[in-house]
Amino acid sequence: MPAFALVDCNNFFVSCERVFRPELEGRPVIVLSNNDGCVISRSEEAKALGIGMGAPFFEVRALVAEHGVAWISANHELYVDMSKRVSSVLARHAPVVENYSIDESFLAFPADRTLEERARALRAEVRLWTGLPVSIGLAPTKALAKLGSDKAKRAGGVLSLLDAGAREAILDDTPVTHVWGIAQRSALRLAPHGIRTAGDLARARDALIRSVLGIGGLRLAHELRGTPCLTLAAAPTERQSVTVSRSFGKPVYGLEALKSALAAFAARAAERARRHGLRAGELSVHLGRRVDGRPVLEGTSARLPPTNDTPTLIRAAKALAEKLFVNGRAYKKAGVVLAGLEPADAAQNELFDDGSAGRSARLSRVVDRLNASLGAGAVRYGGENTSSAWGARCESRSPHWTTRWDELKTVRAAV
DNA sequence: TCTGGGGTCCTAGGACCC
DNA sequence: TCTGGGGTCCTAGGACCC
């Protein structure tokens, strides 16, 4: 029988920062989202202080000051690069690897008795080559492997749930909300049926699970029983959408400022679509604000002849912004979503092609190449005015240590 | 005063068709 | 007074993930 391993980087963003700033070891550390808005990664010491995942920064600021918590603005360029380094180590150890998220990968192995030992060796090797600590769960299904890696954090870094007997006690000791795919809403619907732990869910009747959670929940229950329903997605699936959205550093009231922000987002989205060899048949724009303290998103969309041309997408985004905009509203965020994606080479040419599309595509390629070599945003289209009217706060970002020559870390040897 | 960003899948209901 | 049945496709919204 095959076995799955889930390799999970512990407190990934914080750990990436610590690799280059070892003085942060042993101290409480948090990493903040865009705009320094909320907490998106916490060291164990920070968790122990009661700082919650996703907590708004302003709510924990007193705690941060009181305990000398180090806080860092997110540096995604660094995290993406570190993630690739981890993947390349994993690829040397398993025939099939699914990079599930920036900090988690599923591996598939033929199950044998040496698996736990090999997992420990793998863990040591990731540490050696990247400086990052990982936890590994081993199990006959993905959902169980996920649970295993969770528990592994307090069990020496590797935990096997391959043995059915050993699993039972662990499942009974796991709240159902710790199961991959079950969150608060589902837990509330399960509670009236006496289902509170992972073990309860595994033992529940199929018909009941199906009626309460739907087909996805039923698959999960089978996975918890040790019957694989989820397979390894070795090849990344075709992406369905591309989103670029940002919260603003301060509220935006003017249509022109909104349009310039959306133009910049549309340009980033177009760039991403081109990088994936895709073009979009639909573009939507959303504007976000707060009403009675609650976030509200208003959006609208338009069909397009499939394209990944930046000026075309910028025009479409601006037109939708004009439709949505209401004078006097305090906008806090905006975004652009590309959908209806298809391969860019599935050329279904416009009936009346005057050749301008070809010129525009060549221009886009040049812009992409310049931005790749000179750094993002080096070349921009006129409409995308990165004005300070909507710029994000980002007070304490670390350098791009691994991806920019001029920001390399300097190390001096003591003589 | 200050609350992220980028995704996926499933479901229910409406429109439409024969 | 009687008023079918079965299907597809699309969309919006819900729920969840990291």
Side-chain angles (χ1 to χ4, degrees):
Chain A
M1 193 169 62
F4 292 100
L6 179 65
V7 181
D8 184 334
C9 299
N10 302 345
N11 314 328
F12 182 57
F13 297 167
V14 163
S15 297
C16 288
E17 300 289 348
R18 280 177 167 171
V19 168
F20 296 91
R21 293 171 63 185
E23 70 274 15
L24 295 177
E25 290 290 345
R27 281 187 58 188
V29 181
I30 57 176
V31 171
L32 302 175
S33 67
N34 178 51
N35 246 335
D36 294 340
C38 51
V39 178
I40 54 173
S41 183
R42 307 160 293 157
S43 70
E44 293 305 322
E45 300 81 0
K47 291 177 192 175
L49 290 173
I51 298 176
M53 183 64 174
F57 185 40
F58 73 88
E59 278 181 16
V60 298
R61 201 146 194 168
L63 212 55
V64 164
E66 185 187 341
H67 293 91
V69 177
W71 58 275
I72 303 170
S73 307
N75 180 354
H76 288 286
E77 196 168 312
L78 172 67
Y79 311 148
V80 166
D81 186 64
M82 293 299 282
S83 176
K84 286 180 186 158
R85 291 167 192 237
V86 173
S87 298
S88 71
V89 175
L90 300 184
R92 294 205 291 268
H93 284 261
V96 198
V97 177
E98 172 190 346
N99 294 131
Y100 172 70
S101 74
I102 194 166
D103 65 342
E104 286 168 280
S105 295
F106 284 102
L107 281 55
F109 296 100
D112 65 48
R113 295 184 182 288
T114 67
L115 213 51
E116 247 183 279
E117 214 172 289
R118 284 160 61 195
R120 285 183 213 291
L122 171 56
R123 188 167 174 269
E125 196 173 323
V126 173
R127 183 74 187 227
L128 177 68
W129 285 98
T130 67
L132 294 168
V134 299
S135 301
I136 302 180
L138 298 169
T141 68
K142 289 173 87 173
L144 284 170
K146 193 92 166 66
L147 212 61
S149 79
D150 218 33
K151 307 265 177 193
K153 291 189 177 121
R154 274 162 296 282
V158 175
L159 183 67
S160 170
L161 295 181
L162 284 165
D163 180 66
R167 274 200 307 265
E168 213 168 314
I170 292 178
L171 291 185
D172 280 334
D173 194 41
T174 302
V176 75
T177 48
H178 290 199
V179 174
W180 188 29
I182 308 281
Q184 212 50 52
R185 306 280 171 111
S186 298
L188 281 174
R189 292 211 295 262
L190 289 169
H193 300 94
I195 300 174
R196 294 192 172 77
T197 68
D200 294 337
L201 181 60
R203 285 186 298 267
R205 284 172 24 244
D206 281 5
L208 173 70
I209 300 169
R210 173 74 228 245
S211 74
V212 177
L213 297 182
I215 193 71
L218 189 54
R219 275 202 284 263
L220 267 183
H222 279 93
E223 286 252 319
L224 291 179
R225 296 169 193 159
T227 311
C229 295
L230 306 172
T231 55
L232 211 69
T237 49
E238 279 299 288
R239 73 166 50 229
Q240 306 297 309
S241 63
V242 172
T243 303
V244 178
S245 79
R246 290 286 176 280
S247 294
F248 300 138
K250 49 192 174 189
V252 170
Y253 292 89
L255 177 58
E256 286 314 308
L258 272 182
K259 280 161 74 178
S260 78
L262 285 164
F265 302 163
R268 293 293 83 72
E271 210 174 277
R272 228 180 278 167
R274 291 195 293 269
R275 198 185 325 137
H276 289 96
L278 297 169
R279 51 185 196 176
E282 187 187 325
L283 178 145
S284 59
V285 161
H286 55 256
L287 301 178
R289 58 202 174 95
R290 280 182 182 266
V291 178
D292 302 329
R294 312 165 84 86
V296 172
L297 271 190
E298 289 143 344
T300 184
S301 61
R303 302 271 168 135
L304 308 164
T307 183
N308 57 24
D309 176 56
T310 297
T312 306
L313 292 171
I314 287 180
R315 269 195 303 277
K318 286 182 167 182
L320 292 180
E322 284 177 6
K323 270 172 70 177
L324 280 175
F325 175 77
V326 177
N327 209 353
R329 288 186 174 168
Y331 292 105
K332 308 280 290 177
K333 114 181 232 178
V336 167
V337 182
L338 303 183
L341 301 180
E342 58 173 42
D345 50 20
Q348 208 187 58
N349 289 321
E350 283 292 295
L351 190 48
F352 304 104
D353 186 351
D354 62 1
S356 64
R359 281 196 298 279
S360 198
R362 286 196 297 279
L363 177 60
S364 294
R365 273 200 293 277
V366 172
V367 170
D368 288 348
R369 227 173 294 149
L370 286 172
N371 283 333
S373 60
L374 300 176
V379 182
R380 289 194 294 265
Y381 285 78
E384 30 166 341
N385 200 337
T386 52
S387 88
S388 55
W390 53 272
R393 283 189 309 274
C394 176
E395 289 181 26
S396 157
R397 203 206 68 229
S398 47
H400 299 108
W401 279 304
T402 62
T403 51
R404 305 273 177 106
W405 288 111
D406 52 354
E407 297 183 30
L408 282 185
K409 179 108 173 157
T410 309
V411 179
R412 286 187 197 81
V415 188

